[in-house]
Amino acid sequence: MSIVVGVAPGHCSHAALHLAVLIARSSDLPLVAVAVNSAAWPRSRRLSGVDGEYQRFVREEAEAVLEKAKAVIPDDIAATYRVHDASSTRRGLLEACEEVSATRLVVGEKVTESDRGDEVELGSVVTGLLHSAHVPVAVAPHGFRAAPGAVLSRVTAAYSGSETSGDLVIGAAAIAAEAGEGIRIASFHTRPRAFLAARVGQDVENDIVSEWEDQIREDVSEVLDAIEQFERPPASVEVVVGSGGSWGEALRSIPWHETEVLVVGSSSLGPLARISLGSHAMKIVRHSPVPVVVVPRNATEEYVAQADELLD
Amino acid sequence: MTSTLRQQLFRVKPVPRDGGEGGTKLKRSIGLFQLTMIGVGGTIGTGIFFILSEAVPLAGPAVIWSFVIAAAIAGLSALCYAELASSVPVSGSSYSYAYSTLGELPAMGVAACLLLEYGVSTAAVAVGWSQYVNQLLNNLFGFQLPQALSAAPEEGGIINLPAVILIALCAFLLVRGTSHSVVANTIMVIIKIAVLLFFVAVGLTGWNTNNFADFAPMGFNGVMAGAGIIFFSFVGLDAVATAGDEAKNPRRNLPIALIAALVIVTTMYVLVATAGLGAQPASEFEGQKAGLSQILENIIGASWPGTLIAAGAVISIFSVTLVVLYGQTRILFAMSRDGMAPKIFQRVNPRTMTPVANTVIVAIVVGILAGVLPINFLAEMTSIGTLAAFTVVAIAVMVLRRREPDLERKFKVPFYPLIPILSIIGCLWIIRNLQLITILVFLVWTALVIVWWWFTGRKNSMLGQQLDSGLIVLVGPGKYREGDAERAAEHLETGTLSVPDPVANPADGEEKR
């Protein structure tokens, strides 16, 4: 078991490395820094001439970025470094995860010149990973830094009211408890707009929201009951609801620790969500002020099973 | 400490002083133009696409006067509505306003009216939609649903399938959580107006003055009967009043937007009616389906103008159905939170954040109405519901002026008390001219709702429980004061009563929400 962190040649992956270190230290797992050489395809043919030169160049680039990573990763973390040849970055990272039987994959957000404010911009590789990964993917927001020696103090699990998300919250709580962290169950909503022409006023949606909050708090009590059964209870248990006009506001309406991650299930990131907009998980990833651990649909079962193991 | 019957009948819901929960007050963001568009958008599309076939047989070419009379009364009522909306700092429907001014029994009366107004008008509009869908299918693919599947039993069919499908579709969207934007509204308004202007432009080419020769064959009573059924197509004008709390400078913009919307809508309606009447004799309107499309096809002798109108009607009627169905679910939701409707109506699905059970129940009931009832009956039922609700609103304005003269009103009805009185007279007058069966059904329905309240809501009333447990203290008829201001406000906000006041009433310990 290990934590895989993807470092991209040519990019500065400090945020991802810092997050990976934080997670590795909190969970006591070794770190594997992977730079994918996506130009090495097809793999079997030996290339000569210009192609060979180019191959050497990208390989050197990948090795150079791993050297840089070495400088960032502190000595208390057991880390290995590898260049992985694959047809695409996404596939390379997934293959690397498989080879070292990773439990988490850590990546950084896309780095662009344009300033998008608070919004996390996901590159195509990360978006693809969120859809296809078999392990939870942690996304580090741009500029994320963890203090030397820091460990995770709390895990916030997003709860949407669905059964899957209830299981995920319990899973996250088990893993957090094992690592001696606190768990916080958070639900988020943006205030819906009423139909103005319907002649029922604007406040009616506020009532719907407060009714929804009551409902969520009622449902969450079941999850809390399950958490109470733990042999080793989490350091702290908390339930919060974040609200705001937009997802950004909603996520920022609750206080966050500096060393905290938000766990989001993404059962809705299925094939349909690729074409239809409006996946809540995706919006949460984009607007979260802290690193987000997305548990893709493919990884949900394993994640929950992993938690069950810890409980037994 | 059980309240007396009189107290129960007229207990008035206190108004939260700070403007309600959440703390996040909406920004006043809607300007005059958009406010007007909300009024126009809420109104056009409810009736004009199919009301001519129902109203012309009643009034003849004098239906033009029916439009003007209906518009005038709708305008008077909308002014009263605007004052009430601006003086009761809760945002809501006329049910909430009545509850906060006249008391519980009148509020239930208004609720009965609103359930008719919303529920039945959704059904009526859906039936009109079904006509245009059929027309569109026929024009585009040469295919039409058989009569059995596209008409109510009274009209020789079995079920109006497209109408039912439309309701199901809208319910699906509402369950998924659809919210509205001001921009989308403005776009819809432009589509509707464009379609109607197109009708007028083409319709006028078939002008024949002879069609107006026998201008008012049914006399003044015919005109009023026409106005009764047409009133239905002015439902929605009061949207301006309820959007008022989001409007910039409401004291100035509210009346201007109301009048502007009224003028635009009435002008469009009169133009459409005049063009239609000029194009075909009054006798041909009766029983005409997808009327506006048919008229153009008869003039041009080609199907494309009819197709265009039908397409426009299908789009705009769809949006209206969605909005009205939404309104219905939210009124029931508000009533349920007050303890006036079964609890199931306030259950919110955590995943979608919408009242799913509520929406499904409403859709089933409305779907049945739309499937089996003929459009003229539905239109009249909507009219009577609206008219009765408007009457209560005008009364509420006068009651409130007398009882709380110092209340801050962002908008005041001009020429008080003339306008509320005229509004009441006008509404009652139109009601008098509706079919007897409509009035009877309305009375029976209202009586049923009141009886239902008598046996359930009267006891389940959140307000009643708060009064009984001493959270709110009644000081004279229709006047309340919070027993414990802080706690009462808290309970009002959440609408719950989980912790009864042990000091005030230890016997009520088992009382829960």
Side-chain angles (χ1 to χ4, degrees), chain A residues 160-162 189-212 214-216 219 267-268 280, chain B residues 21 26 30 38 91-93 117-118 178-180 182 235-236 238-239 242 246 323 326-327 330-331 333 337 346 348-351 353 355 513:
Chain A
S160 71
S162 74
H189 71 82
T190 55
R191 190 151 47 89
R193 277 189 69 91
F195 283 82
L196 286 170
R199 297 165 288 144
V200 288
Q202 288 292 302
D203 288 354
V204 65
E205 289 301 327
N206 293 347
D207 292 344
I208 297 228
V209 166
S210 64
E211 196 67 38
W212 171 83
D214 292 351
Q215 189 69 43
I216 282 280
D219 291 354
S267 52
S268 55
H280 289 187
Chain B
E21 65 201 89
L26 289 158
I30 302 178
I38 287 166
S91 126
S93 57
E117 178 183 334
Y118 281 81
T178 309
S179 69
H180 196 39
V182 178
V235 169
D238 42 337
T242 42
E246 249 195 283
V323 169
Y326 166 88
R330 293 328 191 244
I331 287 173
F333 181 84
R337 285 195 38 116
Q346 71 186 94
V348 173
N349 182 302
R351 280 288 287 160
M353 262 186 91
R513 57 170 299 197

Coordinates of all heavy atoms in Angstrom, one line a residue, chain A residues 160-162 189-212 214-216 219 267-268 280, chain B residues 21 26 30 38 91-93 117-118 178-180 182 235-236 238-239 242 246 323 326-327 330-331 333 337 346 348-351 353 355 513:
Chain A
S160 N -24.7 13.9 1.0 CA -25.7 14.4 0.1 C -27.1 13.9 0.5 O -28.0 14.3 -0.1 CB -25.4 14.1 -1.3 OG -25.5 12.7 -1.5
G161 N -27.1 12.9 1.4 CA -28.4 12.4 1.7 C -28.6 11.0 1.1 O -29.5 10.3 1.4
S162 N -27.8 10.7 0.1 CA -28.0 9.4 -0.6 C -27.4 8.3 0.2 O -26.5 8.6 1.1 CB -27.4 9.4 -2.0 OG -26.0 9.4 -1.9
H189 N -25.5 23.5 0.2 CA -26.5 23.8 -0.7 C -26.3 25.2 -1.2 O -25.8 26.0 -0.5 CB -27.9 23.6 -0.1 CG -28.3 24.6 0.9 ND1 -28.8 25.8 0.5 CD2 -28.2 24.6 2.2 CE1 -29.0 26.5 1.6 NE2 -28.6 25.8 2.6
T190 N -26.8 25.4 -2.4 CA -26.9 26.8 -2.9 C -28.4 27.1 -2.9 O -29.2 26.3 -3.1 CB -26.4 26.9 -4.4 OG1 -27.1 26.0 -5.1 CG2 -24.9 26.6 -4.4
R191 N -28.6 28.4 -2.6 CA -30.0 28.7 -2.4 C -30.7 28.7 -3.8 O -30.3 29.4 -4.7 CB -30.2 30.1 -1.8 CG -31.6 30.5 -1.4 CD -31.6 31.4 -0.3 NE -30.6 32.5 -0.4 CZ -30.9 33.6 -1.0 NH1 -32.1 33.8 -1.5 NH2 -30.0 34.6 -1.2
P192 N -31.7 27.9 -4.0 CA -32.4 27.9 -5.3 C -33.2 29.2 -5.5 O -33.6 29.8 -4.5 CB -33.3 26.7 -5.2 CG -33.5 26.3 -3.8 CD -32.4 27.0 -3.0
R193 N -33.4 29.6 -6.7 CA -34.2 30.8 -7.0 C -35.6 30.4 -7.3 O -35.8 29.4 -8.0 CB -33.6 31.5 -8.3 CG -32.4 32.4 -8.0 CD -32.1 33.2 -9.2 NE -33.1 34.1 -9.5 CZ -33.1 35.4 -9.0 NH1 -32.1 35.8 -8.3 NH2 -34.1 36.2 -9.3
A194 N -36.5 31.1 -6.7 CA -37.9 30.8 -7.0 C -38.3 31.4 -8.4 O -37.7 32.3 -8.9 CB -38.8 31.5 -5.9
F195 N -39.3 30.8 -8.9 CA -39.9 31.3 -10.2 C -40.6 32.6 -9.8 O -41.6 32.6 -9.1 CB -40.9 30.3 -10.8 CG -40.2 29.1 -11.4 CD1 -39.8 28.1 -10.7 CD2 -40.1 29.1 -12.8 CE1 -39.3 27.0 -11.3 CE2 -39.5 28.1 -13.4 CZ -39.1 27.0 -12.7
L196 N -40.1 33.7 -10.4 CA -40.7 35.0 -10.1 C -42.2 35.1 -10.6 O -43.0 35.7 -9.9 CB -39.9 36.1 -10.6 CG -38.6 36.3 -9.9 CD1 -37.7 37.3 -10.7 CD2 -38.9 36.9 -8.5
A197 N -42.4 34.5 -11.7 CA -43.8 34.6 -12.3 C -44.8 33.7 -11.6 O -45.9 33.7 -12.0 CB -43.7 34.4 -13.8
A198 N -44.3 32.9 -10.6 CA -45.3 31.9 -10.0 C -46.1 32.6 -8.9 O -47.0 31.9 -8.4 CB -44.5 30.7 -9.5
R199 N -45.8 33.8 -8.6 CA -46.6 34.5 -7.6 C -46.7 33.9 -6.2 O -47.7 33.8 -5.6 CB -48.0 34.7 -8.1 CG -48.1 35.6 -9.4 CD -49.4 35.4 -10.0 NE -49.5 34.1 -10.7 CZ -50.7 33.4 -10.7 NH1 -51.7 33.9 -10.2 NH2 -50.7 32.3 -11.3
V200 N -45.6 33.3 -5.8 CA -45.6 32.7 -4.5 C -44.5 33.3 -3.6 O -44.2 32.9 -2.5 CB -45.4 31.2 -4.5 CG1 -46.7 30.6 -5.0 CG2 -44.3 30.8 -5.3
G201 N -43.8 34.4 -4.2 CA -42.8 35.0 -3.4 C -41.4 34.3 -3.4 O -41.3 33.2 -3.9
Q202 N -40.4 35.0 -2.9 CA -39.1 34.5 -2.9 C -38.8 33.6 -1.7 O -37.9 32.8 -1.8 CB -38.1 35.6 -3.0 CG -38.1 36.3 -4.3 CD -37.5 35.4 -5.4 OE1 -36.4 35.0 -5.3 NE2 -38.3 35.2 -6.4
D203 N -39.4 33.9 -0.6 CA -39.0 33.3 0.6 C -39.4 31.8 0.7 O -38.8 31.0 1.5 CB -39.7 33.9 1.8 CG -39.1 35.3 2.1 OD1 -38.1 35.6 1.4 OD2 -39.6 36.0 2.9
V204 N -40.2 31.3 -0.2 CA -40.7 29.9 -0.1 C -39.5 29.0 -0.3 O -39.4 27.9 0.3 CB -41.8 29.7 -1.2 CG1 -41.3 29.8 -2.6 CG2 -42.4 28.3 -0.9
E205 N -38.5 29.4 -1.1 CA -37.4 28.5 -1.3 C -36.5 28.4 0.0 O -35.9 27.4 0.2 CB -36.6 28.9 -2.5 CG -37.2 28.7 -3.8 CD -37.6 27.2 -4.1 OE1 -36.8 26.3 -3.6 OE2 -38.6 26.9 -4.7
N206 N -36.5 29.5 0.8 CA -35.8 29.5 2.0 C -36.4 28.4 3.0 O -35.7 27.7 3.7 CB -35.9 30.8 2.8 CG -35.1 31.9 2.0 OD1 -34.3 31.6 1.1 ND2 -35.3 33.1 2.4
D207 N -37.8 28.4 2.9 CA -38.5 27.4 3.8 C -38.1 26.0 3.3 O -37.9 25.1 4.1 CB -40.0 27.6 3.7 CG -40.4 28.8 4.3 OD1 -39.7 29.4 5.1 OD2 -41.6 29.3 4.1
I208 N -38.0 25.8 2.0 CA -37.6 24.5 1.4 C -36.2 24.1 1.9 O -36.0 23.0 2.4 CB -37.7 24.5 -0.1 CG1 -39.1 24.8 -0.5 CG2 -37.1 23.2 -0.7 CD1 -39.7 23.9 -1.6
V209 N -35.3 25.1 1.9 CA -34.0 24.9 2.4 C -34.0 24.5 3.8 O -33.3 23.5 4.2 CB -33.1 26.1 2.1 CG1 -31.8 26.0 2.9 CG2 -32.8 26.3 0.7
S210 N -34.8 25.2 4.7 CA -34.7 24.8 6.1 C -35.3 23.5 6.4 O -34.9 22.7 7.2 CB -35.3 25.9 7.0 OG -36.7 26.0 6.7
E211 N -36.3 23.1 5.6 CA -36.9 21.8 5.7 C -35.9 20.7 5.3 O -35.8 19.7 5.9 CB -38.2 21.7 4.8 CG -39.1 20.6 5.0 CD -39.8 20.7 6.4 OE1 -40.1 21.8 6.8 OE2 -39.9 19.6 7.0
W212 N -35.2 21.1 4.2 CA -34.1 20.2 3.7 C -33.0 20.0 4.8 O -32.6 18.8 5.0 CB -33.5 20.8 2.5 CG -32.2 20.1 2.0 CD1 -32.2 19.0 1.2 CD2 -30.9 20.5 2.2 NE1 -30.9 18.7 0.9 CE2 -30.1 19.6 1.6 CE3 -30.3 21.5 2.9 CZ2 -28.7 19.6 1.6 CZ3 -28.9 21.6 2.9 CH2 -28.1 20.7 2.3
D214 N -33.4 20.2 8.0 CA -34.0 19.3 9.1 C -33.9 17.9 8.6 O -33.5 17.0 9.4 CB -35.5 19.6 9.3 CG -35.7 21.0 9.9 OD1 -34.6 21.6 10.3 OD2 -36.8 21.5 10.0
Q215 N -34.2 17.6 7.3 CA -34.2 16.3 6.8 C -32.8 15.7 6.8 O -32.6 14.6 7.2 CB -34.7 16.3 5.4 CG -35.0 15.0 4.7 CD -36.1 14.3 5.4 OE1 -37.2 14.9 5.6 NE2 -36.0 13.0 5.6
I216 N -31.8 16.5 6.4 CA -30.4 16.1 6.4 C -30.0 15.7 7.8 O -29.3 14.7 8.0 CB -29.5 17.2 5.8 CG1 -29.7 17.2 4.3 CG2 -28.1 17.0 6.2 CD1 -28.9 16.2 3.5
D219 N -31.4 12.5 8.8 CA -30.7 11.3 8.1 C -29.3 11.1 8.7 O -28.9 10.0 8.8 CB -30.6 11.6 6.6 CG -32.0 11.6 5.9 OD1 -32.9 11.2 6.6 OD2 -32.1 11.9 4.7
S267 N -20.8 9.4 -7.1 CA -21.6 8.4 -7.8 C -22.2 9.0 -9.0 O -22.5 8.3 -10.0 CB -22.7 7.9 -6.9 OG -23.4 9.0 -6.3
S268 N -22.3 10.3 -9.0 CA -22.9 11.0 -10.1 C -21.9 11.3 -11.3 O -22.3 11.8 -12.3 CB -23.6 12.3 -9.7 OG -22.7 13.1 -9.1
H280 N -22.8 17.7 -8.7 CA -22.5 18.4 -7.5 C -21.0 18.2 -7.1 O -20.3 19.1 -6.7 CB -23.4 18.0 -6.4 CG -24.8 18.5 -6.6 ND1 -25.8 18.4 -5.6 CD2 -25.4 19.2 -7.6 CE1 -26.9 18.9 -6.1 NE2 -26.6 19.4 -7.3
Chain B
E21 N -36.0 34.1 8.0 CA -34.8 33.4 8.4 C -33.7 33.6 7.3 O -33.9 34.2 6.3 CB -35.2 32.0 8.5 CG -35.6 31.3 7.2 CD -36.4 30.1 7.5 OE1 -37.6 30.1 7.6 OE2 -35.7 29.0 7.5
L26 N -32.6 39.2 0.1 CA -32.3 39.3 -1.3 C -32.0 40.7 -1.7 O -32.5 41.7 -1.1 CB -33.6 38.9 -2.1 CG -33.9 37.4 -2.0 CD1 -35.4 37.2 -2.3 CD2 -33.0 36.6 -3.0
I30 N -34.1 43.8 -9.3 CA -34.9 43.8 -10.6 C -35.3 45.2 -10.9 O -35.9 45.9 -10.1 CB -36.2 42.9 -10.4 CG1 -35.7 41.5 -10.0 CG2 -37.0 42.9 -11.6 CD1 -36.9 40.6 -9.7
I38 N -41.8 40.5 -16.1 CA -42.3 39.4 -15.3 C -43.8 39.4 -15.3 O -44.4 38.3 -15.4 CB -41.8 39.6 -13.8 CG1 -40.3 39.2 -13.8 CG2 -42.5 38.7 -12.8 CD1 -39.6 39.6 -12.5
S91 N -42.8 37.4 2.2 CA -43.0 37.3 0.8 C -43.8 36.0 0.6 O -43.5 35.0 1.3 CB -41.7 37.2 0.1 OG -41.5 36.1 -0.7
G92 N -44.8 36.0 -0.2 CA -45.6 34.8 -0.4 C -46.7 35.0 -1.3 O -46.7 35.9 -2.1
S93 N -47.7 34.1 -1.2 CA -48.8 34.2 -2.1 C -49.9 34.9 -1.3 O -49.8 35.3 -0.2 CB -49.3 32.8 -2.5 OG -49.6 32.1 -1.3
E117 N -57.2 28.1 -8.6 CA -56.5 29.0 -9.5 C -55.3 28.3 -10.2 O -55.1 28.3 -11.4 CB -56.1 30.3 -8.9 CG -55.4 31.3 -9.8 CD -54.9 32.5 -9.0 OE1 -55.6 32.9 -8.0 OE2 -54.0 33.1 -9.4
Y118 N -54.4 27.8 -9.3 CA -53.2 27.2 -9.8 C -53.5 25.8 -10.4 O -53.1 25.6 -11.5 CB -52.2 27.1 -8.7 CG -51.5 28.4 -8.4 CD1 -52.1 29.3 -7.6 CD2 -50.2 28.6 -8.9 CE1 -51.4 30.5 -7.3 CE2 -49.6 29.8 -8.6 CZ -50.2 30.8 -7.8 OH -49.5 31.9 -7.5
T178 N -35.5 22.6 -10.8 CA -35.3 23.6 -11.9 C -35.5 25.0 -11.2 O -36.5 25.2 -10.6 CB -36.3 23.4 -13.0 OG1 -36.3 22.1 -13.3 CG2 -36.0 24.3 -14.2
S179 N -34.6 25.9 -11.4 CA -34.9 27.2 -10.9 C -34.9 28.2 -12.1 O -34.4 27.9 -13.2 CB -33.9 27.6 -9.8 OG -32.6 27.8 -10.4
H180 N -35.4 29.3 -11.8 CA -35.8 30.2 -12.8 C -34.8 31.4 -12.9 O -34.2 31.8 -11.9 CB -37.1 30.8 -12.4 CG -37.8 31.4 -13.5 ND1 -37.8 31.0 -14.8 CD2 -38.6 32.5 -13.6 CE1 -38.5 31.8 -15.6 NE2 -39.0 32.7 -14.8
V182 N -34.2 35.4 -14.4 CA -34.9 36.6 -14.9 C -34.7 36.7 -16.5 O -35.5 37.0 -17.2 CB -34.4 37.9 -14.2 CG1 -35.0 39.1 -14.8 CG2 -34.7 37.8 -12.7
V235 N -54.7 36.0 -15.4 CA -54.1 35.4 -14.3 C -52.6 35.5 -14.4 O -52.1 35.2 -15.5 CB -54.5 33.9 -14.2 CG1 -53.7 33.2 -13.1 CG2 -56.0 33.8 -13.8
G236 N -51.9 36.0 -13.4 CA -50.5 36.0 -13.6 C -50.0 37.5 -13.5 O -48.8 37.7 -13.3
D238 N -50.5 39.5 -11.2 CA -50.1 39.8 -9.9 C -48.6 39.4 -9.6 O -48.1 39.6 -8.5 CB -51.0 39.2 -8.9 CG -51.5 37.8 -9.2 OD1 -51.4 37.5 -10.4 OD2 -51.9 37.1 -8.4
A239 N -48.0 38.7 -10.5 CA -46.6 38.3 -10.4 C -45.8 39.5 -10.1 O -44.8 39.5 -9.4 CB -46.1 37.6 -11.6
T242 N -45.8 40.2 -6.4 CA -45.0 39.3 -5.5 C -43.5 39.4 -5.8 O -42.7 39.1 -4.9 CB -45.4 37.8 -5.7 OG1 -45.6 37.6 -7.1 CG2 -46.7 37.5 -5.0
E246 N -38.2 42.2 -4.5 CA -36.8 42.1 -5.1 C -36.6 43.3 -6.1 O -35.6 43.4 -6.7 CB -36.7 40.8 -5.9 CG -35.7 39.9 -5.3 CD -35.3 38.8 -6.2 OE1 -36.1 37.8 -6.5 OE2 -34.2 38.9 -6.8
V323 N -44.3 27.0 -14.6 CA -44.3 28.0 -13.6 C -45.5 27.8 -12.7 O -45.4 27.9 -11.5 CB -44.3 29.4 -14.2 CG1 -44.6 30.5 -13.2 CG2 -42.9 29.7 -14.9
Y326 N -45.3 24.8 -10.5 CA -44.3 25.1 -9.4 C -45.0 25.9 -8.3 O -44.9 25.6 -7.1 CB -43.2 26.0 -10.0 CG -42.3 26.7 -9.0 CD1 -41.2 26.0 -8.4 CD2 -42.6 27.9 -8.6 CE1 -40.4 26.6 -7.5 CE2 -41.8 28.6 -7.6 CZ -40.7 27.9 -7.1 OH -40.0 28.5 -6.2
G327 N -45.8 26.9 -8.7 CA -46.5 27.8 -7.7 C -47.4 26.9 -6.9 O -47.5 27.1 -5.7
R330 N -45.6 25.0 -4.2 CA -45.0 25.8 -3.2 C -46.1 26.4 -2.2 O -45.8 26.6 -1.0 CB -44.2 27.0 -3.7 CG -42.9 26.6 -4.5 CD -42.2 25.4 -3.9 NE -40.9 25.2 -4.4 CZ -40.5 24.1 -5.2 NH1 -41.4 23.2 -5.5 NH2 -39.3 24.0 -5.6
I331 N -47.3 26.6 -2.8 CA -48.4 27.1 -1.9 C -48.7 25.9 -0.9 O -48.9 26.1 0.3 CB -49.6 27.5 -2.7 CG1 -49.3 28.8 -3.4 CG2 -50.9 27.6 -1.9 CD1 -50.4 29.2 -4.4
F333 N -46.8 23.6 0.0 CA -45.7 23.5 0.9 C -45.8 24.5 2.1 O -45.7 24.1 3.3 CB -44.4 23.8 0.2 CG -43.2 23.6 1.0 CD1 -42.6 22.4 1.2 CD2 -42.6 24.8 1.6 CE1 -41.4 22.3 2.0 CE2 -41.5 24.7 2.4 CZ -40.9 23.4 2.6
R337 N -46.5 23.7 6.1 CA -45.6 24.2 7.2 C -46.4 24.9 8.3 O -46.0 25.0 9.4 CB -44.5 25.1 6.7 CG -43.4 24.2 6.0 CD -42.1 24.8 5.7 NE -41.5 25.8 6.6 CZ -40.4 25.5 7.3 NH1 -39.8 24.4 7.2 NH2 -39.9 26.5 8.0
Q346 N -44.7 18.8 2.9 CA -43.5 19.6 3.2 C -42.3 18.8 3.2 O -41.2 19.2 3.6 CB -43.7 20.3 4.6 CG -43.7 19.4 5.8 CD -44.0 20.1 7.0 OE1 -45.2 20.2 7.5 NE2 -43.0 20.7 7.6
V348 N -39.1 17.3 2.0 CA -38.1 17.6 1.0 C -37.1 16.5 0.8 O -36.6 16.0 1.7 CB -37.3 18.9 1.4 CG1 -36.2 19.2 0.4 CG2 -38.3 20.1 1.5
N349 N -36.9 16.1 -0.5 CA -35.9 15.1 -0.8 C -34.5 15.6 -0.6 O -34.2 16.6 -1.2 CB -36.2 14.6 -2.2 CG -35.2 13.5 -2.6 OD1 -34.0 13.6 -2.5 ND2 -35.8 12.3 -2.9
P350 N -33.7 15.0 0.2 CA -32.4 15.5 0.5 C -31.5 15.6 -0.8 O -30.6 16.4 -0.9 CB -31.8 14.6 1.5 CG -32.7 13.5 1.8 CD -34.0 13.8 1.0
R351 N -31.7 14.6 -1.7 CA -30.8 14.6 -2.9 C -31.1 15.7 -3.8 O -30.3 16.4 -4.3 CB -31.1 13.3 -3.6 CG -30.4 12.1 -3.1 CD -28.9 12.2 -3.3 NE -28.5 11.9 -4.7 CZ -27.3 12.3 -5.2 NH1 -26.5 13.0 -4.4 NH2 -27.0 12.0 -6.4
M353 N -33.3 18.3 -3.2 CA -33.7 19.5 -2.5 C -35.0 20.1 -3.1 O -35.2 21.3 -3.2 CB -32.6 20.6 -2.7 CG -31.8 20.7 -1.5 SD -30.6 22.0 -1.6 CE -31.6 23.3 -0.8
P355 N -39.5 19.3 -3.0 CA -40.6 18.6 -2.3 C -41.1 17.5 -3.3 O -42.0 17.8 -4.1 CB -41.6 19.6 -2.0 CG -41.3 20.8 -2.8 CD -39.9 20.7 -3.3
R513 N -44.2 18.7 17.3 CA -44.5 19.2 15.9 C -45.2 18.1 15.0 O -45.0 17.0 15.2 CB -43.2 19.6 15.2 CG -42.2 18.5 15.1 CD -41.1 19.0 14.2 NE -41.6 19.3 12.9 CZ -40.9 19.4 11.8 NH1 -39.6 19.3 11.9 NH2 -41.4 19.6 10.6

